[in-house]
Amino acid sequence: MFRYGLLLFLWMLAGCVYAQGSSDRVLKIVVPFGPGGGSDFLARLIAPKLSEALKETVVIDNRPGAGGTVGTDFVAKSAPDGQTLLLSDSGAYAISPALYPRLSYGPKDLAPVINLAIFGNVLVAHPKLPANSMSELLALEKAQPGKLSYGSSGNGASPHLTAELFKTATGIRLTHVPYKGSGPAINDLVSGHIDLMFTGYATVSGLIKSGRLKPLAVTSQQRLPSLPDTATVAEAGFTGFSSYISQGVFAPAATPKERVQRLNREIAAVLRHPEVLEKMRQSSLEPHENTPEQFGSWLQAQSQQWAKVIREGGITPD
């Protein structure tokens, strides 16, 4: 029994410490969500190569809770020595400060390091919904006003805010059904209990390919390479409409600029590594080359966009 417990402990430890560097320095990458999500996937994907490049031990530290704000707050209050990083979707920076009025951190407490990947949402529907395009969806809602529903991973989450932005842009009336996570929402969509949902393509690619869900539109400014026949919302007549999800790396605000710049360069090089690039593309993700300054500017624009949606929609967290 003891031997089994020891082996289990060592296995768990191996899952946390990804690579042993040649120096005594330890780089902790905090993921503010549980294992298995998009942020966790990217953290574990880049950790080994990043350890080799920096010659430092890299540790993945999952700290879920309160929509990602627990882990984000931990990083924001960590020593600004460049040895504690946050790997999260951009909502931690661009959505949470507007959504949670009593949040213990703000954008000023985080230094953008690099935007790892950026991608639009896809609007998916149950196959039996009698609409196969944006124009048909709008006509269906006009004929049956107020009867269509959409699911999301929770109030204030990116899919919910995207749907609210979509409603404002198109004038369509949809009933929101919030869930505790994207998994239950997708399950109910597949089962036909709800009609629509905005989500990242990678999350539902298998369901689209198997015909259990159908795409109606994408929220990026260009069509997705994986869905060349699915038009963007902008192409459907709503010029300028866009909504993106991104996964990025952040450091405590006072981290030395030299350290931030080096982390940006080394992580960018890791993303270009053929093995890493292949695994990202298998998940329908494309690396996004950018500087810390470019990432920061993009985040500022995102913050303004989502703060307006939250304010005008009177949106509050679960």
Side-chain angles (χ1 to χ4, degrees), residues 273-318:
H273 191 279
E275 180 182 338
V276 173
L277 187 59
E278 180 183 1
K279 290 181 179 179
M280 287 187 69
R281 287 175 172 168
Q282 287 174 355
S283 298
S284 301
L285 298 175
E286 192 69 28
H288 187 63
E289 291 273 346
N290 58 101
T291 65
E293 293 76 18
Q294 289 170 333
F295 187 25
S297 296
W298 184 83
L299 287 166
Q300 288 295 330
Q302 290 290 296
S303 298
Q304 293 172 9
Q305 179 185 43
W306 296 126
K308 181 179 179 183
V309 172
I310 290 168
R311 181 176 62 254
E312 293 181 351
I315 297 169
T316 58
D318 294 323

Side-chain angles (χ1 to χ4, degrees), residues 230-243:
T230 302
T232 68
V233 175
E235 284 180 298
F238 304 97
T239 304
F241 183 94
S242 66
S243 173

Side-chain angles (χ1 to χ4, degrees), residues 162-269:
T162 297
E164 291 300 311
L165 186 67
F166 179 75
K167 288 165 60 178
T168 299
T170 63
I172 193 171
R173 288 161 291 182
L174 302 172
T175 299
H176 180 213
V177 183
Y179 291 81
K180 292 184 177 180
S182 59
I186 292 170
N187 288 339
D188 267 12
L189 180 59
V190 171
S191 300
H193 298 305
I194 54 177
D195 301 306
L196 302 160
M197 183 176 177
F198 284 95
T199 186
Y201 173 71
T203 309
V204 291
S205 60
L207 294 170
I208 291 175
K209 291 174 183 177
S210 66
R212 299 176 69 188
L213 292 178
K214 62 181 178 182
L216 301 184
V218 296
T219 67
S220 50
Q221 293 179 337
Q222 292 82 34
R223 296 191 183 194
L224 298 181
S226 304
L227 295 173
D229 297 325
T230 302
T232 68
V233 175
E235 284 180 298
F238 304 97
T239 304
F241 183 94
S242 66
S243 173
Y244 288 94
I245 305 171
S246 84
Q247 294 284 349
V249 176
F250 304 82
T255 301
K257 185 176 181 179
E258 295 76 14
R259 176 65 173 179
V260 171
Q261 295 287 353
R262 187 185 179 197
L263 287 167
N264 177 279
R265 292 194 303 271
E266 299 294 1
I267 294 173

Side-chain angles (χ1 to χ4, degrees), residues 30-35 40 61-72 74:
V30 175
V31 176
F33 308 104
D40 184 68
D61 183 4
N62 293 90
R63 289 179 177 258
T69 61
V70 171
T72 304
F74 174 82

Side-chain angles (χ1 to χ4, degrees), residues 139-157:
L140 176 64
E141 192 279 331
K142 187 175 182 180
Q144 303 176 8
K147 291 188 177 181
L148 295 178
S149 61
Y150 76 94
S152 81
S153 53
N155 285 322

